Amino acid sequence: MWTRKNGIDTTVRCVEMAQVGSSFWGLWVASTVWQKCLDRLQDELSSQHYNTWIRPLQVRQGDAGIEILAPNRYVKNKIRADFLERIITLLQEESLGDDGDELSRDQVQLDVGNLDDSKAAPLRADGSGGPKVRTSHRLQSDFTFDSFVKGKSNELGFAAASQVAVNAGLSYNPLLLYGGVGLGKTHLMHAVGNAIRENNPSARVVYVHSQRFVQDMVNALQRGTMKEFADYYHSIDALLIDDIQFFAKKLRSQEEFFNVFNGLLERDNQMVLTCDRYPREIDGLEERLKSRFVWGLTVEVEPPELETRVAILMKKAEADQVNLDPEVAFFIGERIRSNVRELEGALRRVIANAQFTGQAISIPQVRRALRDLFAIQDRQVSIPNIQRVVAEYYNIKMADMLSKRRSRTIARPRQMAMYLAKELTSHSLPEIGDAFGGRDHTTVMHACRKIIELRETTPGVSEDYRNLSRLVAG
Amino acid sequence: MPEQLSLRFPLRREYSFASFEPGSSAEAVQQLSTLARAPGFVGLWLWGAGAVGKTHLLHATCQLHAGRVGYLPLTDLLEDTDPQGVLTSQEPLDLLALDDLDSWLDDLDRERALQGVYQAQVNHGGKLLVTSQQAPSAMRMQLPDLASRLRALSCYQVQPLGDVSKKRLLQDRAKERGLIVADNVLDFWLSRGDRNLSSLLDQLRLVCDVALRQQRRITVPLLKDVLQF
């Protein structure tokens, strides 16, 4: 078994960490060994040889040991012919464990490739990448400035984020975006990260949710690896931390984050933060953090106005290759005002319904697809609620609904209410009869039959039924 | 076959799509039965009154879904000594089904645990199913961020079955046991008995048991005898 000098079994370590959602510890072990190997090669080789052949190599922790990746076949052949034996020897020496186990030859693989950040973090001989880089930057590639819909509510945030993306660490640092949920703060934050990486592919950009930061820190405390934890965060070029309000009342996390924050700012490394409120309003956050958070630029992202909501819907539909009439987009946008997230959720639901029913997206189709969301969604369908709605609709008194009066102006609404109660609730017919002034279940059956008959023969009753169904059940 | 992780809350084999009468919930059923095909994170929220089949649908979806799946009834989980801990320690899965949000929400610690699980499923690209009796917009939540994320899931109301569907279902279930229930018997039954589907199915089991034991056909007199109408 290949072990580190401190006796940690890297394979087992990797498995353990994968189980808690992180694998950079195994990588860190491999990278440490590799770095030592590089140091010795640099001493042994001429700078020309080292820079030409060794510097472009990358390494990652593979399932069976170490994988060395050459940028092309030419370099690979040269390495195999002239340097591989020496590299393996050095790796074996540097990875020798206390129990004498060592890295075997077949645990070192040489191949052509270029590390994708999503698989493992590279360690280049030039120091870019590195042992403390996480295996994933966690950026969402579809959150870009191009896919962000600008409007009055967010134009300042957009402008500031764009500035930060092209002048990382130099313009506004930290950039803090705050505002309600689902308004696009996280989108802008990812857009900054993606743009920085696009401008400088070797930049170490990391997105982390504050809860994840806290969890990683707790794990590091439990494992006694706080130094690695701190080194990792100090090595980042741009750190994007989402929802900093979650640091509230977590004193140890605040202390660590304070140190990370200071370290990154001292080196002009960019930080982008989001928060659901102005930082000074967060209870349980240390004053020194509150003041530092607003050192750079603090921008509020506001709920989008109607035109922006419509533009968001149109853009989202276009991305999904769905034809959305602007009139329909306005219809949805006027009714769902809460936030972008719920707006997009509503559109997904509309599209799914259109695909399921084979209908084109239209206002009536949207009404059907989103009836849960529109207006009546939170009302519980109950017999008293049905009675109240029907009484209001026909402009009669609730007392009449329950009375023994049999005039048509009273009896017809009562029959309609009984029918709706049968259709929209699971109450038994005797229960429905009871709820209407202690009537027999046969009366309910008669009422239901009557309304079914009238729906087929009398357009007005049919329309009343449709309207009342919508009012009661959405 | 899915790899089910929690033996504590096993999947019920009898809850399959084949044994579910979709009624007016056909769209939700279609979404659930094709869930595995969708790439990346997908979340669905089923809501509706008690005994309309939400739990049935969760079990059916879990059984159909490939990979690592987990079903957690949140109300039952609350009886655990550390319910949040159980949820927090839940590793991301290909499909995670959380039944009965009503009992879980409106509590800050529990919501934080749920938010962590939600985010883990998103990061993992897994699927998330949740159910509740209340409509999503009516659910009280303390974490606005969680509320907006959950409400942005595709929400489907599971409607109670209409009488036609109930009759068909009862007849199918009786037929599985070699018995026939005539339309007029069902009309009598539905006009007098509890119309809650769960109760109806319980009653059907009872009626079928008696019919088989006494070698009688299912008739109105038998219903009157057994169900005391």
Side-chain angles (χ1 to χ4, degrees), chain B residues 22-51:
Chain B
S24 56
S25 304
E27 187 184 344
V29 171
Q30 193 254 5
Q31 289 288 321
L32 291 167
S33 60
T34 57
L35 193 63
R37 286 190 221 150
F41 173 77
V42 178
L44 265 75
W45 184 335
L46 306 178
W47 66 279

Side-chain angles (χ1 to χ4, degrees), chain A residues 195-336:
Chain A
I196 291 175
R197 280 174 52 82
E198 197 178 320
N199 296 335
N200 178 10
S202 63
R204 288 160 294 183
V205 181
V206 170
Y207 164 86
V208 64
H209 192 274
S210 59
Q211 281 182 313
R212 178 65 183 249
F213 181 93
V214 172
Q215 188 59 49
D216 282 354
M217 194 203 71
V218 171
N219 289 342
L221 279 170
Q222 287 173 345
R223 294 166 192 276
T225 52
M226 277 305 291
K227 182 176 183 313
E228 286 83 354
F229 173 84
D231 286 349
Y232 164 65
Y233 278 101
H234 283 292
S235 73
I236 290 167
D237 293 322
L239 178 60
L240 321 174
I241 295 212
D242 215 354
D243 287 330
I244 56 167
Q245 70 273 10
F246 284 111
F247 283 130
K249 296 176 184 166
K250 299 183 179 73
L251 294 180
R252 180 66 200 265
S253 298
Q254 288 183 30
E255 187 182 332
E256 285 306 320
F257 186 63
F258 182 76
N259 293 332
V260 168
F261 189 97
N262 287 340
L264 292 177
L265 251 55
E266 277 170 17
R267 288 188 296 281
D268 287 334
N269 292 343
Q270 183 66 47
M271 295 196 70
V272 183
L273 315 169
T274 70
C275 189
D276 68 353
R277 71 206 84 159
Y278 190 67
R280 290 200 183 278
E281 294 171 5
I282 305 174
D283 289 335
L285 198 63
E286 287 183 48
E287 280 304 317
R288 57 179 185 168
L289 266 181
K290 285 183 184 178
S291 66
R292 273 168 177 72
F293 284 159
V294 295
W295 264 0
L297 181 67
T298 303
V299 182
E300 182 176 9
V301 179
E302 295 180 69
E305 67 284 7
L306 176 63
E307 290 78 6
T308 307
R309 294 200 297 276
V310 171
I312 288 167
L313 288 168
M314 298 298 289
K315 188 148 192 164
K316 181 75 181 160
E318 188 187 334
D320 289 349
Q321 298 179 316
V322 168
N323 186 23
L324 182 66
D325 192 305
E327 196 184 340
V328 178
F330 266 98
F331 179 78
I332 300 172
E334 278 171 347
R335 281 155 184 79
I336 298 175

Side-chain angles (χ1 to χ4, degrees), chain A residues 181 243 246 339 341-342 345 348-349 352-353 356 371-372 377-378 380 422 425-430 441 445, chain B residues 26-27 30-31 47 115 135 137-138 144-145 148-149 151-152 155-157 159-160 163 191-193 195-196:
Chain A
V181 296
D243 287 330
F246 284 111
N339 58 59
R341 202 175 279 151
E342 289 181 34
R348 272 198 301 277
R349 178 80 178 77
N353 177 266
F356 175 74
R371 62 183 181 182
D372 303 352
Q377 65 232 35
D378 52 357
Q380 296 293 304
K422 176 180 174 285
T425 76
S426 283
H427 289 290
S428 68
L429 302 197
H441 77 274
M445 288 169 72
Chain B
E27 187 184 344
Q30 193 254 5
Q31 289 288 321
W47 66 279
Q115 179 148 25
S137 55
D145 197 48
S148 74
R149 285 175 202 278
R151 286 179 186 142
C155 302
Y156 290 94
Q157 183 178 11
Q159 304 268 10
D163 282 354
S191 66
R192 284 160 178 81
R195 292 167 63 242
N196 172 307

Side-chain angles (χ1 to χ4, degrees), chain A residues 38-319:
Chain A
L38 289 174
D39 292 342
R40 291 179 61 179
L41 284 169
Q42 196 162 15
D43 291 338
E44 290 174 15
L45 299 174
S46 70
S47 61
Q48 189 184 3
H49 272 129
Y50 181 82
N51 289 334
T52 306
W53 306 112
I54 305 299
R55 185 180 283 275
L57 299 179
Q58 297 174 326
V59 68
R60 71 178 169 204
Q61 173 82 47
D63 292 337
I66 282 184
E67 287 179 47
I68 300 170
L69 297 179
N72 53 51
R73 189 179 296 275
Y74 182 63
V75 173
K76 177 189 168 187
N77 291 341
K78 180 69 177 172
I79 293 290
R80 174 172 289 154
D82 296 345
F83 301 109
L84 190 59
E85 282 299 318
R86 183 59 186 154
I87 289 173
I88 290 173
T89 303
L90 292 174
L91 286 172
Q92 286 174 331
E93 288 174 13
E94 292 300 335
S95 63
L96 192 65
D98 292 340
D99 56 3
D101 288 345
E102 66 176 25
L103 185 70
S104 66
R105 288 185 60 83
D106 57 10
Q107 284 178 295
V108 179
Q109 294 172 351
L110 176 64
D111 216 333
V112 175
N114 190 19
L115 283 178
D116 174 1
D117 276 350
S118 65
K119 292 175 183 165
L123 178 71
R124 288 198 176 90
D126 63 5
S128 66
K132 293 127 193 147
V133 177
R134 237 170 235 278
T135 54
S136 170
H137 45 69
R138 297 198 191 99
L139 289 173
Q140 284 189 241
S141 58
D142 52 339
F143 282 179
T144 63
F145 288 116
D146 284 342
S147 63
F148 189 86
V149 178
K150 267 191 299 180
K152 283 181 185 170
S153 57
N154 56 32
E155 60 186 358
L156 191 57
F158 184 89
S162 304
Q163 269 294 309
V164 164
V166 292
N167 294 309
L170 302 174
S171 48
Y172 309 121
N173 203 11
L175 170 65
L176 190 145
L177 304 164
Y178 76 96
V181 296
L183 301 181
K185 303 186 298 294
T186 302
H187 186 136
L188 279 176
M189 172 182 258
H190 281 270
V192 170
N194 284 318
I196 291 175
R197 280 174 52 82
E198 197 178 320
N199 296 335
N200 178 10
S202 63
R204 288 160 294 183
V205 181
V206 170
Y207 164 86
V208 64
H209 192 274
S210 59
Q211 281 182 313
R212 178 65 183 249
F213 181 93
V214 172
Q215 188 59 49
D216 282 354
M217 194 203 71
V218 171
N219 289 342
L221 279 170
Q222 287 173 345
R223 294 166 192 276
T225 52
M226 277 305 291
K227 182 176 183 313
E228 286 83 354
F229 173 84
D231 286 349
Y232 164 65
Y233 278 101
H234 283 292
S235 73
I236 290 167
D237 293 322
L239 178 60
L240 321 174
I241 295 212
D242 215 354
D243 287 330
I244 56 167
Q245 70 273 10
F246 284 111
F247 283 130
K249 296 176 184 166
K250 299 183 179 73
L251 294 180
R252 180 66 200 265
S253 298
Q254 288 183 30
E255 187 182 332
E256 285 306 320
F257 186 63
F258 182 76
N259 293 332
V260 168
F261 189 97
N262 287 340
L264 292 177
L265 251 55
E266 277 170 17
R267 288 188 296 281
D268 287 334
N269 292 343
Q270 183 66 47
M271 295 196 70
V272 183
L273 315 169
T274 70
C275 189
D276 68 353
R277 71 206 84 159
Y278 190 67
R280 290 200 183 278
E281 294 171 5
I282 305 174
D283 289 335
L285 198 63
E286 287 183 48
E287 280 304 317
R288 57 179 185 168
L289 266 181
K290 285 183 184 178
S291 66
R292 273 168 177 72
F293 284 159
V294 295
W295 264 0
L297 181 67
T298 303
V299 182
E300 182 176 9
V301 179
E302 295 180 69
E305 67 284 7
L306 176 63
E307 290 78 6
T308 307
R309 294 200 297 276
V310 171
I312 288 167
L313 288 168
M314 298 298 289
K315 188 148 192 164
K316 181 75 181 160
E318 188 187 334

